[in-house]
Amino acid sequence: MTKILELKGITVKFPGVVALNKLDMDIHEGEVHVLIGENGAGKSSLIKVLCGIYFPDEGSMLIQGKPYMPQAPIDAINAGIRVVHQEFNLLPYLSIAENIFFEKLPRKSGFVDFKKLYSDTDKLLKMVGLNASARTKVEMLGVAQMQLVEIAKALSTDSKILLLDEPTATLTDKDIELLFATIRRLKKSGITIIYISHRLKELFEIGDRITVLKNGEKVGDRLITEVDIPGLVQMMVGKSMHEEFQFRDNVKLGEEVLRVENLKRRESKYYNSFSVKAGEIVGIAGLVGSGRTENMRAIFGADRKESGEIYLHGEKIKIKSPQDAVKQGISLITEDRKSQGLVLDMPCSLNMTLTDPKKISTRGFINRQQERDVAEKLVKDLEVKTPSINQLVRNFSGGNQQKVVIAKWLFCGGKVFIFDEPTRGIDVGAKYEIYNLMWELAESGKGLVMISSDMPELLGLCHRILVFSDGEIVGEVQRKDFDQEKILHLAFKNYVEDKQ
């Protein structure tokens, strides 16, 4: 196959960190080339190099045999390279057509040529397989349709190479099928796809070749038919896949640390009760929308509850707000770490200490040396990969951002940790590290609650699993009785009964 993109010895350095180290890589025309690796492996840095955001310290690149070294994103666009990011960049109140051609609306006699605008948009929508009117406002679209609009927008500049960054992160199985059909259609038309994802299983459906990065270096380049999932995991993290879930049956369970009795949310008709022991990891299973997150947020004081009592170490406590929960020692690691768990434009040190600034204050003023000492210890203890505690957390990988969220709750002395989808959007290696942190908390006598849509994760880590269905805890399954089919049957229980 003809090489469309060649990287030779690409090196990117930051103070104390080598993001990419002498990377060689070839991309063939019309292929789906999969790029995987742990968070921090160099994937994001490579994307930024290709798009002209980072300028490499060493190395060279060729596109279709011609030298390529973009100085700015516009150079990448002109060369035919576009990125479709995981987080959409669309204007909801404008039409699909206006979003796609926002920066270069066709004009006639000084006015927007809407006839051409809609005609050009229809051609792109047909190319990506989106059955929608060019006049439809983006706010009326579903997530999968927005994804296709982003791809159409990228194709509007005659792109030769599309970089898809975690394109299925927020899609349902049906939506993923739609996206994959679009990718196959683009591939047939000669467009090259660089596909980045943490979901290893889907790579075998859509990929032709795969490159594995680790610590900024290429550790493998294979045809997709030459590898399997355990082999990829081994290449990425240097450990076998079966090591990912290591249930620690040697962790001793202590006295009850949290008890919830007859908790009822205003939007629900059900009363829920459960308890957690010191050293225990209690899983929460259920379908999306089953009330898993909402019930935990009500315990934390982030959502209103109509009634119910909460006990900590046998003593009844009152929680009317998240501040009350924090003071009592209840911590919530939210599902959306970026918007609810972190202040992205603040440095690592401030994010780690913002839960209890009084601990590092003297006479009402922050003691900066104390703050630095605390942050450096937490960075070391949790093995957060950062060149400096002053680095903005916006620039961290997903796994390291999650560690910062956990660090801030450790700093304020949490007794109960509620993890909501703790490993969503992070790679296999970072998951392993998060699991280790959770077990360390359990071993130190904390009580843990884990909400997860990843059934193998729940089955691999938890002492028991509570199953939610339409807002109600409909079952509790002990570890010795774990069975995926049984848990899924419980998860559908109230929905099935409502239809009968």
Side-chain angles (χ1 to χ4, degrees):
M1 293 179 69
T2 305
K3 294 178 184 177
I4 190 171
L5 177 65
E6 300 173 67
L7 283 69
K8 299 179 180 179
I10 296 296
T11 299
V12 175
K13 298 178 181 177
F14 299 106
V17 174
V18 179
L20 293 172
N21 187 23
K22 301 187 184 303
L23 179 65
D24 295 330
M25 189 173 169
D26 295 332
I27 307 293
H28 295 150
E29 188 173 353
E31 75 173 351
V32 177
H33 194 113
V34 174
L35 187 65
I36 66 169
E38 296 183 69
N39 287 327
K43 303 187 301 295
S44 296
S45 296
L46 177 56
I47 290 174
K48 290 174 181 176
V49 167
L50 293 175
C51 294
I53 298 172
Y54 287 170
F55 193 83
D57 297 280
E58 300 173 19
S60 61
M61 294 185 286
L62 300 173
I63 285 187
Q64 295 180 317
K66 297 178 181 179
Y68 171 68
M69 193 57 71
Q71 307 294 308
I74 190 63
D75 295 334
I77 293 172
N78 292 335
I81 295 181
R82 288 294 294 261
V83 181
V84 178
H85 293 285
Q86 180 180 346
E87 296 171 359
F88 304 147
N89 187 27
L90 298 172
L91 301 169
Y93 302 117
L94 296 184
S95 69
I96 292 174
E98 290 165 326
N99 268 276
I100 289 174
F101 290 99
F102 184 77
E103 296 172 346
K104 51 172 187 175
L105 292 168
R107 295 185 179 275
K108 189 175 182 180
S109 303
F111 296 94
V112 175
D113 185 348
F114 282 100
K115 183 177 180 181
K116 179 172 173 52
L117 173 65
Y118 295 138
S119 174
D120 290 349
T121 299
D122 286 337
K123 292 176 184 175
L124 288 170
L125 296 185
K126 185 177 180 180
M127 187 183 296
V128 301
L130 178 54
N131 185 22
S133 168
R135 296 171 172 80
T136 303
K137 287 188 178 181
V138 164
E139 65 178 340
M140 304 301 293
L141 302 177
V143 175
Q145 293 173 310
M146 290 184 189
Q147 180 80 267
L148 296 181
V149 172
E150 285 281 16
I151 293 174
K153 185 167 70 171
L155 295 174
S156 70
T157 54
D158 297 321
S159 301
K160 304 182 187 78
I161 301 172
L162 281 185
L163 284 79
L164 303 184
D165 187 10
E166 295 289 350
T168 61
T170 57
L171 302 186
T172 64
D173 289 344
K174 187 176 180 181
D175 292 338
I176 290 172
E177 289 177 14
L178 179 63
L179 173 65
F180 284 0
T182 298
I183 291 174
R184 293 185 184 103
R185 193 179 299 111
L186 296 176
K187 179 182 168 182
K188 283 183 180 178
S189 68
I191 292 171
T192 302
I193 310 287
I194 299 177
Y195 189 98
I196 301 165
S197 179
H198 290 129
R199 296 184 174 186
L200 299 184
K201 288 183 181 178
E202 71 187 27
L203 308 183
F204 295 87
E205 279 189 61
I206 201 65
D208 295 308
R209 281 198 305 139
I210 188 163
T211 294
V212 182
L213 298 183
K214 181 177 173 63
N215 297 328
E217 299 180 354
K218 183 175 75 175
V219 295
D221 191 338
R222 306 278 193 278
L223 289 172
I224 206 78
T225 54
E226 297 175 343
V227 293
D228 56 17
I229 290 177
L232 291 177
V233 173
Q234 184 77 37
M235 291 168 70
M236 287 169 60
V237 301
K239 58 175 72 74
S240 300
M241 191 176 182
H242 73 272
E243 296 180 55
E244 184 181 349
F245 301 116
Q246 285 284 334
F247 183 77
R248 301 185 186 179
D249 52 12
N250 61 330
V251 175
K252 294 181 179 180
L253 303 188
E255 297 295 321
E256 179 184 88
V257 60
L258 173 71
R259 184 165 85 255
V260 177
E261 291 185 353
N262 298 316
L263 178 73
K264 183 181 182 301
R265 297 183 299 111
R266 288 185 176 179
E267 300 82 4
S268 176
K269 59 184 178 182
Y270 298 111
Y271 295 83
N272 291 307
S273 302
F274 69 95
S275 64
V276 183
K277 293 180 179 179
E280 187 177 29
I281 301 179
V282 176
I284 304 290
L287 305 175
V288 173
S290 64
R292 303 171 305 175
T293 292
E294 292 79 4
N295 274 272
M296 297 307 115
R297 284 175 56 87
I299 293 169
F300 187 68
D303 285 355
R304 292 280 183 112
K305 68 176 191 295
E306 188 174 285
S307 61
E309 289 76 45
I310 300 171
Y311 297 83
L312 201 63
H313 291 296
E315 293 187 12
K316 186 176 177 179
I317 59 174
K318 288 186 178 181
I319 296 178
K320 294 184 177 180
S321 68
Q323 289 86 349
D324 293 337
V326 173
K327 287 178 183 177
Q328 296 289 352
I330 298 177
S331 305
L332 175 63
I333 293 86
T334 55
E335 178 181 7
D336 187 347
R337 56 181 168 268
K338 288 187 176 181
S339 66
Q340 299 176 4
L342 297 166
V343 184
L344 294 177
D345 291 318
M346 279 172 49
C348 169
S349 57
L350 289 178
N351 270 278
M352 286 179 165
T353 57
L354 57 77
T355 49
D356 195 354
K358 288 182 180 179
K359 278 190 176 180
I360 52 168
S361 298
T362 305
R363 297 176 183 175
F365 293 94
I366 298 292
N367 185 319
R368 295 300 175 190
Q369 185 59 52
Q370 261 189 301
E371 179 186 73
R372 284 192 292 272
D373 291 345
V374 166
E376 285 173 356
K377 185 177 186 306
L378 286 167
V379 164
K380 182 179 178 182
D381 290 347
L382 274 64
E383 297 183 5
V384 180
K385 294 176 184 175
T386 176
S388 166
I389 59 170
N390 297 316
Q391 180 81 284
L392 300 183
V393 294
R394 178 182 295 280
N395 300 323
F396 285 16
S397 66
N400 284 306
Q401 287 181 342
Q402 190 71 308
K403 289 180 183 179
V404 174
V405 176
I406 295 171
K408 77 176 186 180
W409 294 122
L410 289 174
F411 173 67
C412 71
K415 301 169 185 173
V416 175
F417 288 76
I418 301 171
F419 289 83
D420 193 353
E421 301 286 3
T423 63
R424 173 170 288 176
I426 64 178
D427 61 76
V428 177
K431 283 182 180 182
Y432 185 82
E433 293 177 344
I434 297 299
Y435 298 151
N436 276 336
L437 286 174
M438 292 173 69
W439 278 118
E440 287 173 12
L441 290 171
E443 287 172 345
S444 67
K446 313 296 184 185
L448 279 70
V449 177
M450 181 174 70
I451 305 167
S452 179
S453 300
D454 186 336
M455 188 62 70
E457 184 172 71
L458 291 173
L459 297 175
L461 292 172
C462 299
H463 291 85
R464 54 193 169 97
I465 296 174
L466 305 176
V467 186
F468 273 83
S469 183
D470 193 27
E472 180 188 19
I473 297 176
V474 292
E476 177 180 316
V477 186
Q478 300 294 329
R479 183 165 189 84
K480 63 182 176 62
D481 300 319
F482 279 1
D483 177 85
Q484 187 164 338
E485 186 176 340
K486 178 180 180 180
I487 292 169
L488 287 175
H489 178 76
L490 285 169
F492 280 101
K493 183 175 185 291
N494 283 347
Y495 301 99
V496 173
E497 288 179 356
D498 284 347
K499 291 180 180 179
Q500 293 177 344

